Amino acid sequence: MPSYRAPTEDVTFLLHDVFGIEKYGNLPGFSDLSPDMLEAILSEGAKLCEEVLAPVNRSGDLEGCTRHEDGRVTTPKGYKEAYDAYTGGGWVGLSADPEYGGQGLPYTVGAIMNEFASSANMAFSMYPGLTMGAIAALNEHASPEIKRTYLPKMIDGSWSGTMNLTEPHCGTDLGLIKTKAVPQGDGTYKITGTKIFISAGEHDLAENIIHLVLARIEGAPEGVKGISLFVVPKFMPQPDGSLGARNPVSCGSIEHKMGIHGNATCVMNYDGAVGWLVGAEHRGLNAMFVMMNEARLGVAIQGLAQSEVAYQNAVAYAKDRLQGRALTGTKEPAKAADPIIVHPDVRRTLLSIRAFNEAARAFVLWTALKSDVAHRSEDTKARQEADDHLGLMTPVLKGVLTDVGFDNAVKAQQMFGGHGYVEEWGMSQFVRDARIAMIYEGANGIQALDLVGRKLPRDGGRAVMTFFNEVQGFIKANEADEGMKPLLGALGKSLGHLQQATMWFMQNAMAKPDNAGAGSTDYMHLFGLVALGYMWALQVKAAQAKLAEGANGSTERLETKLVLARFFAERMLPETGAQLARITSGADAIMSLPADRF
């Protein structure tokens, strides 16, 4: 049976020693977050995930969800009890607006809990996770009446939320949406159409399900400019807060998927269902993008989360599994063989996963803090800089963390040899669950195109230049530190590769856009490696400072950080050279073969 332990110590180190969470005390929500309170949240969140969510992860994978003849969907055994424990602890409303019953804590705290829950049980975590995204969209764009009606129940978890974009004929190209909305003259609309791949579209966990649905009002312009957003409840809310009649929205079927079996992925049929407009007519994508961007960060966290839990189980196995003898001589003479952790290639594999995980966690928290600044600061310049960061980094986080997260789950599975291919060890589930994160919320090829085609040139390249200047400034400010020289040298070289790649696009992609498309995925991963390298530089600086102060009982953990950073610099950052070479080779070879020869 796989196990999981939440990395609370690493989170604490990042928040306090690397990013100085105390500096954000002037922002709403942070002023209430004392060190003792943060420790209590991390401790209780870890306990819930380790003791309640993780134990039903494998059983939920085996059992899956069941659709009944009347359209009801039941979730795996133990999910309802886990959901009640999750909502009963107030975890859904952790970062939500206190005006509607939320705790108003920083988004960053919610992101931490998201990682813990996704590692413990990714399929389960999607139910509250989607609700949180819907809460964010409604809070920003809905009318006061809609907020009063829906937010309190969604925040306390008695109602859940979904996101309805995809249709059978369109995924990424939302301009092709056919679901229609007919105004009724009383402020409501009748919604008719079919949506597919709707996570948590129907289930037995919450008493009501609130669907956010993209649809086209009759007579609306073609394309994305004619799309509106509607809130469509499963049951009609009554003025007193009770539930009324069933709305004509139903689950036509559930998908039989490769992974995340415990989450109901539904085909949703809207047969003249009653809905209310969220935001302005024909501006639905603006409102939905709040939920989509939050979801993309959440999916990035899923990539990290599966990499983390797969790593933990691979390490435990590598320390226990006896196979062969160490190349340098027997390490366990009293045993028939040495544990496989003695073998260099096993160590290389495990170190590559862990070096990624700890940098990726820093990358997530760095960006989560920027999100808090963007949404909570009164400083206009600070908000703009934070918003620039979010726009630039969201596709990098989503694409890189899910691509590498899946690769790492496969690497961890490999540590088990044949046992990794056998379901009872649980490693297959991590691989299968991780795979979807590369696809949904914008497939990773689309994320790469978004980065290169939209985010780089946005505002004259302001965001990417800010990033370049920040990393260059850090390298220059610390170049005299002997302990940091090896890492900073490698980081500076990789940053140079990223800058060269960016300039090459500027010179070669305008006249020939295929050059941008051909190099976009390599560029996204090149960017990701530089960002992860910068995260390691920040951690090394903090670790060295803490060791110099006496380490306060954490010497071993901090020294481990230094070794991991060295490994990242020597073994992982050099990949940027190959990525640059691939980018600058252009699109000719890729585009030269006629389609009928594939």
Side-chain angles (χ1 to χ4, degrees):
M1 173 70 75
S3 61
Y4 172 66
R5 182 177 180 274
T8 54
E9 288 184 338
D10 196 41
V11 168
T12 300
F13 169 73
L14 290 170
L15 289 179
H16 291 296
D17 299 298
V18 177
F19 297 118
I21 193 172
E22 298 80 8
K23 296 183 299 187
Y24 298 84
N26 62 319
L27 299 181
F30 284 86
S31 55
D32 301 325
L33 193 65
S34 67
D36 288 344
M37 183 180 184
L38 178 59
E39 182 180 352
I41 290 171
L42 295 180
S43 176
E44 288 302 309
K47 183 178 179 181
L48 174 68
C49 294
E50 294 165 2
E51 299 180 7
V52 178
L53 304 190
V56 294
N57 189 34
R58 175 161 162 69
S59 60
D61 178 61
L62 294 173
E63 182 182 344
C65 296
T66 303
R67 180 187 178 275
H68 303 275
E69 289 187 7
D70 60 1
R72 290 181 304 110
V73 172
T74 50
T75 53
K77 292 181 181 65
Y79 266 48
K80 173 60 175 170
E81 292 77 8
Y83 184 81
D84 290 345
Y86 196 100
T87 57
W91 296 103
V92 175
L94 199 63
S95 304
D97 191 338
E99 182 179 348
Y100 301 102
Q103 298 179 50
L105 292 173
Y107 168 77
T108 302
V109 179
I112 295 164
M113 186 61 182
N114 189 354
E115 184 200 332
F116 293 177
S118 295
S119 282
N121 192 327
M122 179 169 154
F124 172 89
S125 71
M126 293 169 66
Y127 292 103
L130 284 160
T131 303
M132 293 175 204
I135 289 168
L138 291 176
N139 193 53
E140 188 160 333
H141 289 282
S143 67
E145 182 180 0
I146 288 177
K147 290 181 186 180
R148 288 193 298 269
T149 300
Y150 292 97
L151 289 183
K153 293 285 190 179
M154 296 174 75
I155 287 170
D156 71 22
S158 53
W159 296 358
S160 66
T162 72
M163 175 169 57
N164 287 236
L165 290 79
T166 307
E167 298 183 5
H169 58 281
C170 73
T172 299
D173 190 354
L174 294 173
L176 300 176
I177 279 175
K178 294 180 179 177
T179 298
K180 67 178 182 179
V182 180
Q184 299 300 294
D186 61 355
T188 66
Y189 294 76
K190 289 292 183 70
I191 312 296
T192 301
T194 297
K195 298 288 185 177
I196 64 170
F197 302 156
I198 307 306
S199 300
E202 174 63 26
H203 55 80
D204 57 353
L205 302 179
E207 61 188 34
N208 201 5
I209 302 174
I210 312 306
H211 304 287
L212 295 192
V213 184
L214 288 181
R216 194 180 301 280
I217 298 172
E218 283 188 323
E222 293 298 316
V224 295
K225 293 182 179 179
I227 297 174
S228 300
L229 179 64
F230 301 87
V231 57
V232 185
K234 176 181 174 180
F235 291 101
M236 303 294 286
Q238 300 303 293
D240 63 358
S242 63
L243 298 181
R246 175 72 185 260
N247 212 357
V249 51
S250 61
C251 171
S253 64
I254 55 175
E255 304 293 350
H256 300 281
K257 310 184 297 292
M258 176 180 175
I260 52 169
H261 294 154
N263 193 272
T265 305
C266 303
V267 174
M268 300 300 298
N269 296 319
Y270 293 83
D271 301 306
V274 179
W276 286 263
L277 184 67
V278 177
E281 288 187 359
H282 317 320
R283 301 285 291 171
L285 274 187
N286 283 17
M288 185 60 95
F289 263 118
V290 174
M291 188 171 186
M292 289 170 67
N293 285 332
E294 185 155 311
R296 284 172 179 169
L297 289 172
V299 172
I301 292 170
Q302 288 179 342
L304 163 61
Q306 293 307 290
S307 182
E308 174 65 31
V309 69
Y311 168 80
Q312 289 187 18
N313 285 276
V315 166
Y317 186 83
K319 291 178 178 178
D320 185 64
R321 173 67 169 173
L322 302 180
Q323 196 77 32
R325 292 295 188 186
L327 297 175
T328 54
T330 299
K331 304 302 179 187
E332 297 281 356
K335 296 179 180 178
D338 290 330
I340 63 172
I341 192 74
V342 304
H343 301 306
D345 196 59
V346 168
R347 287 169 166 257
R348 176 194 62 80
T349 301
L350 295 174
L351 282 169
S352 69
I353 304 174
R354 183 168 175 182
F356 166 81
N357 290 351
E358 296 193 13
R361 182 171 298 114
F363 195 3
V364 166
L365 294 184
W366 184 42
T367 303
L369 287 165
K370 297 286 188 182
S371 179
D372 278 317
V373 172
H375 292 101
R376 297 172 186 241
S377 178
E378 295 181 0
D379 184 325
T380 303
K381 186 173 185 294
R383 283 202 313 272
Q384 176 204 287
E385 290 176 350
D387 191 63
D388 283 353
H389 176 100
L390 289 169
L392 179 66
M393 296 301 182
T394 295
V396 179
L397 279 159
K398 198 282 182 182
V400 173
L401 267 60
T402 60
D403 273 355
V404 181
F406 171 74
D407 288 346
N408 286 346
V410 173
K411 288 177 181 177
Q413 182 188 37
Q414 186 75 10
M415 294 296 92
F416 285 71
H419 293 295
Y421 200 66
V422 175
E423 288 290 342
E424 68 184 85
W425 286 85
M427 298 306 289
S428 168
Q429 183 184 355
F430 302 141
V431 172
R432 290 184 285 103
D433 285 358
R435 186 62 183 86
I436 185 57
M438 301 164 68
I439 300 172
Y440 61 10
E441 301 309 331
N444 287 353
I446 299 297
Q447 301 299 325
L449 286 173
D450 179 49
L451 173 65
V452 170
R454 295 178 181 174
K455 301 304 172 58
L456 287 185
R458 182 179 172 185
D459 298 314
R462 185 175 68 203
V464 73
M465 291 308 299
T466 297
F467 174 70
F468 289 166
N469 291 336
E470 180 173 346
V471 179
Q472 284 177 319
F474 183 89
I475 292 171
K476 184 171 181 59
N478 294 278
E479 61 187 0
D481 187 329
E482 291 296 326
M484 296 194 70
K485 275 188 176 179
L487 173 58
L488 293 184
L491 177 58
K493 189 173 183 179
S494 291
L495 177 63
H497 293 156
L498 180 60
Q499 292 169 318
Q500 291 175 62
T502 306
M503 183 60 67
W504 190 88
F505 278 143
M506 291 174 62
Q507 296 169 345
N508 294 277
M510 291 295 288
K512 192 173 181 179
D514 281 341
N515 280 329
S520 59
T521 291
D522 276 305
Y523 185 87
M524 178 179 72
H525 280 276
L526 169 51
F527 202 121
L529 274 173
V530 172
L532 294 172
Y534 180 44
M535 294 300 98
W536 269 121
L538 294 176
Q539 291 185 78
V540 167
K541 184 174 177 65
Q544 287 186 162
K546 197 160 186 178
L547 283 165
E549 295 169 0
N552 194 27
S554 57
T555 299
E556 185 176 296
R557 181 167 54 82
L558 296 170
E559 289 178 344
T560 299
K561 286 278 185 189
L562 303 184
V563 173
L564 291 168
R566 177 184 169 190
F567 176 90
F568 189 88
E570 293 176 357
R571 288 279 182 158
M572 298 173 76
L573 271 177
E575 176 67 17
T576 60
Q579 290 160 339
L580 175 63
R582 290 193 290 265
I583 290 165
T584 55
S585 70
D588 289 349
I590 290 175
M591 302 308 295
S592 64
L593 196 65
D596 60 5
R597 295 192 198 173
F598 275 83

